[in-house]
Amino acid sequence: QLPVSSARRKAPNIMVTGTPGVGKSRLCHQISEMTGLQWLEISKIAKEFSCLEDEFDEVYQCPVLDEDKLLDGLEETMCVGGNIVDYHSCEFFPERWFDVVFVLRTDNTLLYDRLVSRGYTGKKLEDNMDCEIFQTVLEEAKSSYKEEIVHELHNNNPEQLEFNAHNICLWIQEWFDHQS
Ligand code: DAT
């Protein structure tokens, strides 16, 4: 059973992280539909808040994020609670923001196919595959948050997606039960 936090928010804040292509968007969309929690897609929000710099991130081949500006923009929303944060990195967010952190994992061959069908090639494909092979995001999550709130979830097929969504919804329900 997943531990329940006693943070004083009106609803829990959930982090969903993992290498690009592991299924964060699909899972977050589903949880948001099932629970009414707000899905915060950080890559989209960064554009809306004009938090993208001219510099380029070599590994993820995307613009570098102005993290401080993003965090300032999100502070109030996160304090209220009820958010599902979706991003491929988690270490720069304040630890106090999250009640639970889910790290999605996908088997290498499946992830490779997903990234290729997304149009990734060359160094970008290789770097993202290395990120999953060396479980970079899982290690990052474990070193940035209390180990007991970090959960690794396998997300290889639609059955696992359903299972993960169901369990996260149960976790959310438990959080509310614990508050009342
Ligand atoms: P992310 O947001 O982590 O980059 P995504 O949600 O966009 O990933 O999913 C990447 C691709 O993989 C997309 O084509 C949908 C597919 N996918 C996601 N979860 C899956 C699952 N559990 N089973 C099969 N395909 C899945």
Side-chain angles (χ1 to χ4, degrees):
Q1 217 176 22
L2 301 172
V4 176
S5 164
S6 57
R8 288 189 193 131
R9 294 187 250 272
K10 77 169 176 68
N13 285 326
I14 295 169
M15 158 66 79
V16 175
T17 189
T19 308
V22 292
K24 299 181 293 296
S25 304
R26 201 172 266 197
L27 179 67
C28 291
H29 174 73
Q30 190 154 335
I31 308 165
S32 178
E33 293 276 299
M34 290 164 85
T35 63
L37 263 59
Q38 181 173 219
W39 171 24
L40 301 179
E41 258 184 295
I42 296 301
S43 39
K44 281 197 183 155
I45 289 169
K47 275 187 209 150
E48 285 164 23
F49 288 3
S50 307
C51 293
L52 299 178
E53 295 180 351
D54 295 334
E55 215 183 320
F56 214 63
D57 182 316
E58 286 298 325
V59 175
Y60 293 106
Q61 302 216 353
C62 58
V64 168
L65 203 57
D66 180 340
E67 294 171 357
D68 289 339
K69 193 172 177 188
L70 178 83
L71 298 181
D72 284 348
L74 285 175
E75 177 68 34
E76 211 180 309
T77 304
M78 295 303 291
C79 284
V80 173
N83 302 290
I84 310 164
V85 171
D86 162 3
Y87 199 50
H88 60 252
S89 174
C90 59
E91 66 190 349
F92 65 92
F93 296 106
E95 194 184 348
R96 65 187 160 80
W97 275 7
F98 296 102
D99 299 287
V100 70
V101 176
F102 295 104
V103 183
L104 298 194
R105 304 297 310 277
T106 298
D107 289 355
N108 300 332
T109 48
L110 295 171
L111 183 65
Y112 184 90
D113 292 343
R114 288 185 199 170
L115 292 178
V116 167
S117 58
R118 194 185 257 188
Y120 284 22
T121 55
K123 185 166 157 44
K124 185 172 185 173
L125 176 61
E126 238 173 73
D127 286 343
N128 279 282
M129 286 306 299
D130 281 350
C131 177
E132 187 60 8
I133 291 164
F134 296 116
Q135 47 187 56
T136 310
V137 183
L138 180 64
E139 298 304 330
E140 185 189 316
K142 284 182 178 170
S143 63
S144 308
Y145 298 89
K146 287 199 189 89
E147 201 145 345
E148 64 265 28
I149 74 158
V150 176
H151 304 280
E152 182 180 4
L153 299 178
H154 296 280
N155 192 43
N156 293 313
N157 51 50
E159 292 71 30
Q160 286 179 339
L161 176 72
E162 289 306 317
F163 184 75
N164 292 333
H166 176 73
N167 280 335
I168 294 175
C169 288
L170 284 181
W171 183 93
I172 293 167
Q173 190 53 53
E174 272 183 34
W175 190 94
F176 283 112
D177 291 348
H178 189 75
Q179 303 300 303
S180 57

